[in-house]
Amino acid sequence: MVIKARTSEQIGEAIRRFRKAKGLTQKDVSKRTNLRTATISSLENGDAGTQLRTIVGVLAALDLEFSLQDRRKPEPVSIEDVFS
């Protein structure tokens, strides 16, 4: 699964989705990272003040990694595409 995220809220939601897809609770992630459950919750809720080391630790606990790429701009739709 690939999820694109551009905001702290979207990053938090992506982490939540992956965590749930793996059948883990916030408490499970808390135990794996030695972070408070409230910290995991804050991250998943998009707290922009979350430290990068916290995000990286949670990603590691979920066996995930960052992948960065140039933003893709939507290609303009031509009238031919609409009616084809």
Side-chain angles (χ1 to χ4, degrees):
M1 170 173 35
V2 174
I3 299 175
K4 293 183 181 183
R6 295 179 176 173
T7 66
S8 58
E9 291 83 7
Q10 290 172 338
I11 292 169
E13 179 58 31
I15 289 171
R16 177 183 291 117
R17 285 184 184 193
F18 276 105
R19 175 182 58 77
K20 287 184 174 185
K22 293 174 184 273
L24 298 171
T25 65
Q26 289 180 345
K27 188 173 183 176
D28 295 330
V29 177
S30 174
K31 288 178 184 176
R32 290 179 178 197
T33 58
N34 293 320
L35 296 169
R36 297 177 313 122
T37 304
T39 302
I40 307 302
S41 176
S42 180
L43 168 60
E44 290 184 0
N45 286 318
D47 180 1
T50 303
Q51 292 186 10
L52 185 56
R53 87 176 90 211
T54 299
I55 297 169
V56 172
V58 170
L59 292 176
L62 295 173
D63 199 27
L64 300 172
E65 63 187 10
F66 273 119
S67 177
L68 302 176
Q69 66 182 31
D70 290 330
R71 273 191 185 188
R72 307 259 185 220
K73 294 192 168 66
E75 293 184 25
V77 177
S78 72
I79 193 73
E80 290 83 17
D81 291 339
V82 173
F83 292 106
S84 62

